[in-house]
Amino acid sequence: MKNIIVFGASGGTGLEVVAQLLEAGHHVTVLLRHPDKFSIRHEQLRIIQGDILQPLTFENLFFGVDVVISCLGSRNREPTTVYSEGVTNILNEMQKVDVTRIICLSAGGVVVPPNATFIMKFVIKYILQRLFKYSYADMLKMETVLKNSDLNWTVIRPPRLLNGDKTGIYRTITNDYLPNMSSLKRADLAHYIIHHLDDEKTFKNRVEISY
């Protein structure tokens, strides 16, 4: 069993990740601005009050940690640095205590896939990238921060996320563009993350995932 920190645990995907990690028997630490609003309680769950943009609130959390998972997200469409600045703060703390494994969520719409259909290219470029331009821009900065690090990072780019029970059935591709990306349940995204915590084939790589 592993000691794992999850950032962004209060979001839809973060909740699924934490629940499935605990179900699998791992020890989990979460950093939350509002711990009282977190719905999960478990004997192997440690809840810490803090803010990803204030590294002093979590500087001592990484001793003995095996894996860091970032499900950070922005709840609005305004300019944000939560992805790039948040992950930079995480990496700085990881490097202090030689923690090397991190998995981060990005998004399938941050770039227009060259192999996408005309309609999909139109939707991504003229709808999604306009609606979420600030989040997507900061996600790309985050990806660059990770690529420039010496850590064993994995960036996961999922499509539109849905609620629902996990199926354990989905498609993935590494360092390429997955054709016909459509949607994915958050529970299945969490399933993929939890089953690739220490998969060396995903180290320093980008993964796309979809049904």
Side-chain angles (χ1 to χ4, degrees), residues 55 58-60 62 89-97:
F58 60 90
E59 63 178 344
N60 296 315
F62 292 82
N89 291 339
I90 291 170
L91 297 191
N92 288 338
E93 295 304 318
M94 289 176 65
Q95 291 167 338
K96 290 178 183 178
V97 291

Side-chain angles (χ1 to χ4, degrees), residues 58-76:
F58 60 90
E59 63 178 344
N60 296 315
L61 291 186
F62 292 82
F63 292 100
V65 167
D66 300 301
V67 183
V68 177
I69 300 173
S70 171
C71 301
L72 292 172
S74 176
R75 299 183 186 276
N76 55 56

Side-chain angles (χ1 to χ4, degrees), residues 42-170:
H42 194 281
E43 61 182 6
Q44 292 185 186
L45 174 65
R46 180 172 60 152
I47 299 175
I48 303 297
Q49 185 170 20
D51 188 332
I52 191 63
L53 299 181
Q54 298 180 25
L56 290 178
T57 65
F58 60 90
E59 63 178 344
N60 296 315
L61 291 186
F62 292 82
F63 292 100
V65 167
D66 300 301
V67 183
V68 177
I69 300 173
S70 171
C71 301
L72 292 172
S74 176
R75 299 183 186 276
N76 55 56
R77 298 174 187 170
E78 299 175 357
T80 182
T81 61
V82 69
Y83 304 97
S84 60
E85 186 178 348
V87 167
T88 296
N89 291 339
I90 291 170
L91 297 191
N92 288 338
E93 295 304 318
M94 289 176 65
Q95 291 167 338
K96 290 178 183 178
V97 291
D98 295 324
V99 178
T100 60
R101 178 64 173 141
I102 181 168
I103 301 171
C104 291
L105 295 186
S106 184
V110 294
V111 296
V112 180
N115 59 356
T117 64
F118 173 80
I119 294 177
M120 184 56 66
K121 288 180 179 179
F122 181 89
V123 169
I124 293 173
K125 184 174 182 179
Y126 294 105
I127 299 178
L128 294 180
Q129 290 188 346
R130 289 185 178 182
L131 284 174
F132 305 108
K133 63 179 181 179
Y134 296 119
S135 290
Y136 284 0
D138 199 45
M139 286 179 186
L140 288 175
K141 290 181 181 178
M142 174 193 72
E143 292 188 13
T144 299
V145 168
L146 290 164
K147 290 174 185 176
N148 290 335
S149 76
D150 295 326
L151 302 182
N152 292 324
W153 55 268
T154 300
V155 166
I156 303 176
R157 290 181 178 175
R160 181 169 60 101
L161 295 174
L162 308 172
N163 294 323
D165 297 334
K166 70 181 177 185
T167 67
I169 302 172
Y170 38 76

